[in-house]
């Protein structure tokens, strides 16, 4: 790992691995079909498209975002995109939901880490690329099995509301970092970023609240650094005795983005006070304090337990040499003096993200919530590990703790130290890679759900995905037949692991049945016994 050519080659390999791993997910998406909210929330837009075309449908989607704001929930941006489901235009375009969510997440993660690592922290680009690729694989392929993958990637109404917004939020944060570190800011960038911030204020509350906390931090840093900079010299010396002042002065560039931060907070405030929220707030399960305490518990349980499957653990170990090497470059520009503050901030930011659903429903069992919880939590956990690598390397300084005799005898602890410092880092990377590949090959047969890609491959190769799609197409023939008013459908014979979310029932009064009946202009729709 001492030579750029090695890192460059490894970066290319890791990128190709991700491409190969994502392809099965994109392919299985072609067999996906709409369900549940895809009918109920997109009905009005579908009507507008059927009668007027794309532009009226787009206008109707914006209108529905406003309507839901006043009548159901305040997440105006999420509601607008949910109403604009691809199946509105043609049921066979439903795969675009998965494609758009994965594309936005990939773009957001790449741009955020690019600006953080290479832009702000000055990490070498190939090293940053390796870190990004490993993180992308871990977040997408190692997502918890079951509803998290279905609702996170494949069920449009859940995926567009949560993981698409998360990717969009990362993109916004990446642009924030770019402007904060830029010497010259183009005039149009702040207005664009402000609009993005306002839209994200109307995203799901997990994302908008997390960004709201970050926006508050941006404003605090801007105010403190501005006051310190304009104070007399003796006052500056006095101010710098406080940790918060020294931290704020390192990030004075954030003053360039205080307007986008304010716009995001304005959007969040408008979302919170939405008249439609009264419908849901009336049924809140817990008081705010209990919700916060439960969020902290769930976060600790997930970060230190549930998420740490053996593939995740190996990938984290795989990341450590790269993160350790990156700290060598970062130390030239930033220190690692506040590990407790940084760790607490990342941990509590993760906990804050799940506080809204706990407060509203008393749990975080929904797959889309679990998916976003995992994505954000694991991303912040990796940042914590990276920070701790820098703190150990430059504050604890383990190299200085090894005496001359130990260095001469090459004890195991010295080899470990060499691995982190770079002398044997390449060997460590290849050893961990071999362990990961071997473990995966041994485990994937008894556990085909080990990775999202392997589950997708099973759904396609087994024929369940194509059968599921064909059976839906058979339903469409009946649902689009104007001569049939009372529709009785055959139950699906298969339920692909990644594609199936829900189906109508035998009860014609079930909201799922009523939503489908309204969507296709039928008197009633039921599943036959």
């Amino acid at each position: 790992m001492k030579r750029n050519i090695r890192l460059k080659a490894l970066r290319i390999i890791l990128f190709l691995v991700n491409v190969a791993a994502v392809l099965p997910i994109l392919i299985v998406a072609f067999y996906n079909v709409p369900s549940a909210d895809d009918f109920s929330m997109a009905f009005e837009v579908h009507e507008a498209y059927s009668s007027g075309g794309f532009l009226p449908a787009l206008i109707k989607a914006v209108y529905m975002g406003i309507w839901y704001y006043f009548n159901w929930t305040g997440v105006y941006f999420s509601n607008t995109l949910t109403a604009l489901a691809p199946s509105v235009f043609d049921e066979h375009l439903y795969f675009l939901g998965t494609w758009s969510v994965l594309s936005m997440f990939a773009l957001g993660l790449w741009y955020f880490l690019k600006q953080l690592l290479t832009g702000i922290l000055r990490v070498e680009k190939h090293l940053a690329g390796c870190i990004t690729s490993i993180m992308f694989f871990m977040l997408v392929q190692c997502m918890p099995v079951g509803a998290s993958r279905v609702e996170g990637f494949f069920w449009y109404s859940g995926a567009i509301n949560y993981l698409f917004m998360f990717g969009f939020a990362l993109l916004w944060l990446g642009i924030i970092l770019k402007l904060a570190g830029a010497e010259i800011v183009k005039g149009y960038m702040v207005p664009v970023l402000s609009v993005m911030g306002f839209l994200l204020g109307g995203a799901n509350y997990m994302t908008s609240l997390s960004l709201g906390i970050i926006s508050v931090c941006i404003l605090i840093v801007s105010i403190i650094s501005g006051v310190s900079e304009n104070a007399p010299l003796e006052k500056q010396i006095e101010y710098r005795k406080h940790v918060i002042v020294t931290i704020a002065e390192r990030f004075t560039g954030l003053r360039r983005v205080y307007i986008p931060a304010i716009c995001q907070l304005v959007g969040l405030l408008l979302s919170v006070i939405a008249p439609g929220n009264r419908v849901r707030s009336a049924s809140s399960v817990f008081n705010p304090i209990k919700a916060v305490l439960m969020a902290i518990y769930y976060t600790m349980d997930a970060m230190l337990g549930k998420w740490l499957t053996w593939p995740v653990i190996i990938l984290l170990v795989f990341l450590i040499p790269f993160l350790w090497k990156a700290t060598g470059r970062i130390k030239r520009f930033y220190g690692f003096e506040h590990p407790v503050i940084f760790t607490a901030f990342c941990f509590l930011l993760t906990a804050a993200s799940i506080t809204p659903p706990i407060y509203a429903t008393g749990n975080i069992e929904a797959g889309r919530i679990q998916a976003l919880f995992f994505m954000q939590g694991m991303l912040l956990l990796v940042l914590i590990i990276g920070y701790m690598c820098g703190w150990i390397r430059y504050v604890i300084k383990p190299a200085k703790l090894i005496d001359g005799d130990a260095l001469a005898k090459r004890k195991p602890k010295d080899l470990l130290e060499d691995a982190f410092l770079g002398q044997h880092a390449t060997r460590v990377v290849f050893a961990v890679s071999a362990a990961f590949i071997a473990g995966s090959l041994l485990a994937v047969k008894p556990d085909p759900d080990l990775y999202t890609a392997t589950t997708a491959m099973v759904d396609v190769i087994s024929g369940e995905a194509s059968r599921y799609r064909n059976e839906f197409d058979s339903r469409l023939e009946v649902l689009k037949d104007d001569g049939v008013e009372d529709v009785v459908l055959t139950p699906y014979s298969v339920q692909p692991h990644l594609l199936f979310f829900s189906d109508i029932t035998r009860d014609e009064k079930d909201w799922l049945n009523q939503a489908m009946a309204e969507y296709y202009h039928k008197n009633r729709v039921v599943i036959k016994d």
Side-chain angles (χ1 to χ4, degrees), residues 295-306 347 373:
I296 292 174
Y297 167 77
Y298 284 144
T299 303
M300 185 176 296
D301 182 52
M303 276 189 167
L304 302 180
K306 291 181 179 178
F347 177 84
F373 183 35

Side-chain angles (χ1 to χ4, degrees), residues 2-22:
K2 288 185 177 181
R3 299 177 181 176
N4 285 341
I5 186 63
R6 292 184 179 180
L7 278 176
K8 182 179 180 180
L10 185 57
R11 179 189 183 187
I12 294 173
I13 292 172
L14 292 172
F15 174 78
L16 293 176
V17 167
N18 271 308
V19 171
V22 166

Side-chain angles (χ1 to χ4, degrees), residues 32-39 94 150-151 155 468 472 475 492 495-496 499-505 510-513 516 527:
N32 204 7
V33 302
S35 62
D37 294 47
D38 297 327
F39 295 118
Y94 193 69
V150 176
E151 298 180 37
W155 181 49
Y468 181 62
F472 178 76
R475 288 185 174 191
Y492 289 120
Q495 296 182 357
L499 304 182
F500 182 81
F501 172 67
S502 70
D503 195 12
I504 58 174
T505 66
D510 191 311
W511 76 269
L512 294 167
N513 297 52
M516 181 179 284
I527 287 289

Side-chain angles (χ1 to χ4, degrees), residues 147-447:
S148 298
R149 295 176 179 178
V150 176
E151 298 180 37
F153 295 125
F154 294 94
W155 181 49
Y156 177 81
S157 294
I160 203 71
N161 191 9
Y162 285 82
L163 291 197
F164 180 91
M165 294 299 170
F166 182 58
F168 192 55
L170 290 176
L171 179 62
W172 185 72
L173 290 174
I175 301 174
I176 288 277
L177 293 176
K178 182 175 178 62
L179 294 189
E183 296 182 0
I184 301 176
V185 178
K186 296 181 179 179
Y188 66 87
M189 288 303 298
V190 171
V192 169
L193 202 57
S194 298
V195 172
M196 291 175 64
F198 181 77
L199 292 176
L200 284 166
N204 68 81
Y205 287 117
M206 294 177 68
T207 299
S208 60
L209 179 59
S210 298
L211 293 181
I213 293 171
I214 294 173
S215 294
V216 169
C217 292
I218 290 174
L219 295 181
I220 292 174
V221 167
S222 300
I223 293 171
I224 293 176
S225 62
V227 170
S228 176
E229 183 179 302
N230 296 318
L233 182 59
E234 59 275 12
K235 281 290 185 180
Q236 290 185 20
I237 296 174
E238 183 180 346
Y239 289 154
R240 287 167 184 164
K241 294 179 182 178
H242 302 282
V243 172
I244 191 171
V245 176
T246 59
I247 294 175
E249 288 184 341
R250 291 186 180 182
F251 302 99
T252 55
L254 291 175
R255 281 186 287 178
R256 301 190 187 101
V257 294
Y258 76 92
I259 293 178
I262 292 175
C263 289
Q264 195 280 328
L265 289 171
V266 170
L268 175 58
L269 178 61
L270 289 175
S271 178
V272 170
I273 65 174
N277 284 340
R278 296 172 186 171
V279 178
R280 290 191 169 186
S281 62
S283 59
S284 298
V285 176
F286 295 126
N287 64 63
I289 296 178
K290 185 173 183 179
V292 169
L293 294 177
M294 289 185 66
I296 292 174
Y297 167 77
Y298 284 144
T299 303
M300 185 176 296
D301 182 52
M303 276 189 167
L304 302 180
K306 291 181 179 178
W307 292 341
L308 299 182
T309 59
W310 73 260
V312 171
I313 292 174
I314 292 181
L315 288 171
L316 290 175
V317 173
F318 187 50
L319 263 173
I320 288 177
F322 296 97
L323 296 172
W324 190 279
K325 185 176 180 66
T327 60
R329 179 73 174 176
I330 296 171
K331 179 59 181 174
R332 303 178 189 179
F333 306 97
Y334 299 95
F336 299 92
E337 299 93 347
H338 309 291
V340 175
I341 294 176
F342 185 81
T343 301
F345 177 79
C346 292
F347 177 84
L348 293 176
L349 185 62
T350 305
S353 71
I354 59 171
T355 301
I358 292 175
Y359 172 72
T361 66
N363 64 76
I364 53 172
E365 294 176 359
R368 53 198 177 276
I369 294 175
Q370 287 287 336
L372 180 52
F373 183 35
F374 173 79
M375 286 275 191
Q376 180 172 323
M378 286 304 303
L379 174 59
L380 291 173
L381 179 60
V382 170
L383 295 182
I384 291 173
I385 293 173
Y387 196 99
M388 296 305 295
C389 284
W391 179 69
I392 293 172
R393 183 173 179 180
Y394 290 104
V395 178
I396 302 300
K397 298 180 179 178
K400 291 187 176 180
L401 301 179
I402 304 175
D403 57 32
D405 292 337
L407 287 171
K409 296 177 181 178
R410 311 309 300 157
K411 294 179 179 179
K413 65 178 181 178
D414 306 326
L415 297 176
L416 181 62
E417 175 63 21
D418 287 342
F420 287 137
L421 290 177
Q423 184 173 338
H424 299 296
T426 300
R427 297 178 184 178
V428 172
V429 167
F430 280 107
V432 175
S433 299
F436 182 77
I437 294 171
S440 298
L441 292 174
L442 291 172
V444 76
K445 186 173 180 60
D447 183 15

